[in-house]
Structures are given as C-alpha cells and as structure tokens.
Amino acid sequence: MPVSRRRFLGGGLAAAAVAVTGTPLLAGCASDKKGTAAANLAVKLPTYTRYGEIKPDLPGTDVVLDGFLKYPANPVKAISEAPGDGKPITFLTNIPGAIPPSVDKNQFWQKLNERLGSELQISMASNDEYKDKFATRIAGGDLPDVINIPVDTVQIPGLVKAKCMDLTEQLSGDAVNKYPFLANIPTEYWKGCVFNGAIYGVPVPRGMSRTSLPLYRADLLAAKGIKDPAPKNFQEFFDLAKEMTAAKQNKWAWTRVPLSTIRQMLAIPNVWKEDGGKFTSMYEHEAQLDALEAGRKMVAAGVVNPDAFNDKASARKQWFNGGIAAFDYDSFVAWNQYYSDNTAGPAFSVNMLDVPGFDSGTGAPWMGAALNNVTSFSKNSKHSADTLLKIANWMAAPFGTEEYLFRKYGVAGRHYTLQGTDPVPTKVGVVETGIGVQYISDSALALYWAGKPDVPQNQHEIQTKVAPRLVYDASYGLYSDTQSKKQTQLAKTMTDLENQIVQGKKPVSDWTAAVQTWKSSGGDTMRTELEQAHTEAAGK
C-alpha cells in the first residue's frame, strides 16, 4: 500500500458554520449513504503515468520520495501553451505565512497571471482563520471557481455533490493523460477525491512528506559529543533527553511531550487499525497507559519545555531554531522549513531519529496524511472543467521543470539568486511568492535544499529506513458520517485529558474511563460505519 493519511474527516467545520451563520453547513445536502463505499470503489481512478523527463540523484519508490542534490542546470520547459482561457479565475485558499502584497504590488503574482493566460483572483486567509472563512463562503453560497476544501470538512460527500463539478469523465482511467502532471500524481492519492461514486476534485498530495518523526538539532548534539544518536529503546531515548536538558541555562531537550513517538515505540495504531474486517481505534490499544506513563515520566524529569502546554506551534519552532530545545516531533516538510527559518547561522544542522521499539527492536512509525486538501471546482463556474484542470495541471509540474522553478521561486534576480544551479530565495521572494497556489495542485514533494546536498541525503536515508515499517490509517478512503461530524471534538477531549495526565494533574488510570466515554459518545458508531464501509468496499 503506497500512501495513506493520518485522518481524513473531522467535525470542526460544522460548529464553525453554525457560529458564523447560525445554520448547519449544507443542511439538506447529505449524500446517498447506501452502497457509497462500493460505488466509490467502482470508480476507475486516474491512471498513474510517471513523468520521466527528470532523473533524480536519489531515486525514490512508491513510498520514498525522489531526492536531488542540486537543481537541474537546464530545467525542462514542460508546458508550451498558457492554460487559462483569458478570463479571471477565482480561488479560495489558506496560506501558511503572512498575507502577501496584493496583486498590484506583487511582481510574482503579476508574472504568474501572464503565464497562466488568466488573471488568478485569490481570496486568502491564514491557516488559523481559513476554516471560518471557508464555512462562511459555503453557507452564503458565495463560491469561487476553484475551492481549497480542508480534508476535515464535515460531510464532504454532500458538499461536493451539491456544489462541485463531477470530474470523472475528464480524469478517470487514461482520460487523465490529457493532463500529464495530474497523471504524474500516484493513483492512491486520488482515493481521497472520490465521493458519491465519482471524482470530485484534484488531490494536493503529501503522504511521506507529512510523516513525522523526532527532528533534532544535529549541531547542538554534536557540541555535546553526540554524533549519531540512535537510541535502542525508550530508556535510551529518555536518557538522551536528560543529557540534552540544562534547565538553568533555559535549555530543554523537547519542544513538547513526544507522545506520538512513544506510541509508535509501542506499536499503537495510526488512528484506526483493521484486522479481519474489525476496526480498532488507537485510543483503545492496551499500550496507551504505558505510553501516557512514559510521557508523564518525561515531563516530571523536566526534559520538556515547561511552556509546551501553553504556547502554539509557532513558538515551538522558535525554540527549536533558537536552540532552546534540541528535539521537535515534526515532518519532512518542517525539516525544510527549519532551514528556511534558520537564525542560528551556517552551523545550523537538522537530522531525524528512527523509532526504536519501547523495550528493544524497532518501532512502528505512522505514515503521514495523504492529502493536504482536495481542490474542487464550483458547479456554477463559467469556466470549463478542461480550463480549470489545465490550471491544476500547470500547478502540478514537478521538480526539475521550468514551471516548478517559477512557481516555487519566482523570477531570477528579484525573487531568488542562483548559487551554481540552485535557486536561493530573497526576502522579497519569500514574501511575494506566498500566495497559496500550491493548494490548487502540486507534485509530490522532492527532497532538496538549495546549496545543502546533505539535507536530501539525510532525508532519503531515513525515509528508506522506515518505509518498510510504516503503519497506515485503515480508515483512509472510507467514509463515516459520525466521524465527519464528531471526530474533531472527541479527539480534542482525549488530547485535553492526555495533557492533564502527562502533567501529573490527573492519574493515568483516568484514561480507561475516558475511552468508554469516547466509545459511547460516537467512537463505537464510527467503528460500525467504518466496518460497514470496509465490507461494502470489499464486496462482502
């Protein structure tokens, strides 16, 4: 099984829509439930045709990502005609950074519009504010041509059936070959775009790039004489954390409690496990009490920054970059972002730990979320599906093409400078290119960092090491209406409790009763719906 994702559907957006509009999201637009899984399985997914013009220095597999030691000297000009139809195209999206300059003050955006052959009008919001903005626009019926749909949107099947284009005819099977860079997205990612027995969107793939493991400041560990950390069990992992902690100097090993890593040491499932058609939640696993006790032990020993329970992810990233913490649990995407945000100078170096078994042997790392989002097209758009798919295809041109170089880095001289063949972003480039077009569509991440070939080498090495042991979420591609509505709130309740437990404010034994409450509050219903969907999909 090539790729999966941690969690597909949640329930937070329904509450957001009610809060903003006073009405449930898409009331009356529920999709047909009977036989949905079987209907989805019957859809012929787009044929995967790997783009062969670019040769990676570090070849990947269907799981491990391709690595490049430098940007190709002569990028391939892969698309000859502008994909647009000359008319403005509207797009609603989140963006991970600061709001960029508007199009009239943004030379990257202006050049992009020229290349597309249509003016791209983008309505954007920060990551934190996007779901509210999305809910407001959906509830008001005010839809753009191109819609970034978060994967935890409540009741996606009803939403896309009511509001979005059915793209099955254009994308199913070999039809996708008209759009070669959409065809270059592995078939497994498309499972997350199938609803109501049809293809309703384009995937923005992540998968292995979102797999998270312990990142560490290799330069800080090397300064302590630790050149190649490889703890063989939890005790050695714990001892390493103690060695990297000096509270009096305002330095801690960890940005937060590494509970996910501990759970992977104990082979706790990645959200849902399926065995013989029966589904088990990670919350129910017998090793959860051991994981919580180990996390509590780390907090009690003072190896976790004491502000970990109060500050946001942005603060954790600052601690790691600033050397206040030596370890952070995050993904390959974050690994690159740390180099982008580096404030420690040229000595700054990041690497990643494998996961050992809790007592011995090897752990069971979790595969990252398959999709960042699903991109759908409004039924009411005045543009043809073909035009919008050509735009998405242009956005998915892979690493090594001229289109990718422009899309990610902008115009040479203004947005980046060349070091050899490597594009190095300027401050203006970072600001102006951050307009969110990677959420229309994207190619799979390439392992690469300009001017630092050791980064993709280290990334490729750890991916190759963990790939055979990756644990997948068994619920991927299956729809549970209860999970869609309740997962976000139920998960928050469990996370709040585990934070109380690891801080020593509540006993580990409280977890057992909480799991029973989780089951009666929706967990058991989710399980039943997932098992039913799994049975339908299997044709039993």
Side-chain angles (χ1 to χ4, degrees), residues 375-387:
T375 298
S376 294
F377 307 143
S378 171
K379 270 185 182 177
N380 296 327
S381 175
K382 294 176 182 175
H383 301 275
S384 68
D386 182 56
T387 293

Side-chain angles (χ1 to χ4, degrees), residues 26-157:
L26 288 174
C29 289
S31 62
D32 299 327
K33 295 177 186 176
K34 190 174 182 181
T36 297
N40 289 348
L41 194 70
V43 173
K44 190 170 185 181
L45 296 172
T47 303
Y48 174 44
T49 305
R50 186 180 175 95
Y51 183 66
E53 296 297 313
I54 313 296
K55 304 299 182 187
D57 300 306
L58 304 167
T61 66
D62 55 355
V63 175
V64 177
L65 300 170
D66 288 338
F68 295 83
L69 304 182
K70 59 184 179 181
Y71 207 89
N74 299 298
V76 175
K77 177 69 175 171
I79 299 174
S80 56
E81 296 181 0
D85 58 9
K87 302 170 187 174
I89 295 172
T90 54
F91 173 44
L92 176 67
T93 189
N94 62 298
I95 56 168
I99 299 294
S102 56
V103 65
D104 57 317
K105 300 174 183 174
N106 190 322
Q107 290 188 31
F108 170 75
W109 198 339
Q110 293 165 17
K111 291 289 185 184
L112 175 67
N113 288 341
E114 290 176 18
R115 284 177 173 244
L116 294 180
S118 280
E119 179 187 352
L120 191 60
Q121 298 177 349
I122 308 174
S123 177
M124 59 187 81
S126 69
N127 286 348
D128 291 339
E129 297 171 345
Y130 182 63
K131 287 185 181 179
D132 284 349
K133 183 166 188 170
F134 176 81
T136 302
R137 293 284 294 269
I138 296 292
D142 179 20
L143 293 185
D145 300 307
V146 181
I147 314 161
N148 167 347
I149 302 180
V151 293
D152 59 353
T153 297
V154 69
Q155 296 177 301
I156 287 184

Side-chain angles (χ1 to χ4, degrees), residues 512-529:
T512 304
V515 171
Q516 293 303 314
T517 302
W518 171 87
K519 290 171 68 176
S520 61
S521 299
D524 280 341
T525 309
M526 290 182 210
R527 182 200 331 281
T528 300
E529 291 171 354

Side-chain angles (χ1 to χ4, degrees), residues 354-432:
D354 194 355
V355 181
F358 191 83
D359 295 314
S360 63
T362 55
W366 295 336
M367 180 53 143
L371 303 183
N372 182 80
N373 62 283
V374 175
T375 298
S376 294
F377 307 143
S378 171
K379 270 185 182 177
N380 296 327
S381 175
K382 294 176 182 175
H383 301 275
S384 68
D386 182 56
T387 293
L388 298 177
L389 284 167
K390 283 180 178 176
I391 294 288
N393 180 69
W394 190 92
M395 296 293 175
F399 186 97
T401 62
E402 191 277 337
E403 290 80 4
Y404 181 101
L405 180 64
F406 171 77
R407 190 174 82 251
K408 298 291 187 180
Y409 295 96
V411 178
R414 178 174 177 83
H415 300 115
Y416 67 89
T417 58
L418 282 175
Q419 288 184 2
T421 62
D422 288 321
V424 178
T426 63
K427 289 183 179 179
V428 170
V430 171
V431 171
E432 290 193 355

Side-chain angles (χ1 to χ4, degrees), residues 148-200:
N148 167 347
I149 302 180
V151 293
D152 59 353
T153 297
V154 69
Q155 296 177 301
I156 287 184
L159 165 60
V160 295
K161 187 174 184 179
K163 303 291 186 181
C164 302
M165 292 184 189
D166 179 342
L167 303 172
T168 311
E169 182 180 342
Q170 291 84 1
L171 295 173
S172 182
D174 292 341
V176 75
N177 289 333
K178 184 176 181 181
Y179 314 101
F181 299 124
L182 297 183
N184 187 49
I185 298 173
T187 301
E188 190 78 6
Y189 291 110
W190 291 93
K191 285 184 180 179
C193 301
V194 175
F195 308 96
N196 316 302
I199 301 171
Y200 274 98

Side-chain angles (χ1 to χ4, degrees), residues 293-356:
E293 176 57 32
R296 188 203 60 75
K297 184 176 178 182
M298 292 189 77
V299 174
V303 302
V304 178
N305 189 320
D307 291 328
F309 300 97
N310 305 319
D311 287 330
K312 296 180 180 178
S314 57
R316 294 199 301 269
K317 293 182 185 301
Q318 290 168 9
W319 301 337
F320 188 80
N321 262 323
I324 292 173
F327 291 91
D328 185 33
Y329 176 80
D330 217 324
S331 68
F332 290 91
V333 174
W335 187 332
N336 279 14
Q337 189 62 43
Y338 275 133
Y339 276 99
S340 179
D341 296 340
N342 169 27
T343 57
F348 182 84
S349 180
V350 176
N351 212 326
M352 188 178 263
L353 292 180
D354 194 355
V355 181

Side-chain angles (χ1 to χ4, degrees), residues 4-7 151 189 205-211 367-372:
S4 187
R5 59 190 156 176
R6 291 280 313 282
R7 181 177 296 125
V151 293
Y189 291 110
R206 288 298 181 263
M208 190 57 152
S209 64
R210 280 274 175 86
T211 294
M367 180 53 143
L371 303 183
N372 182 80

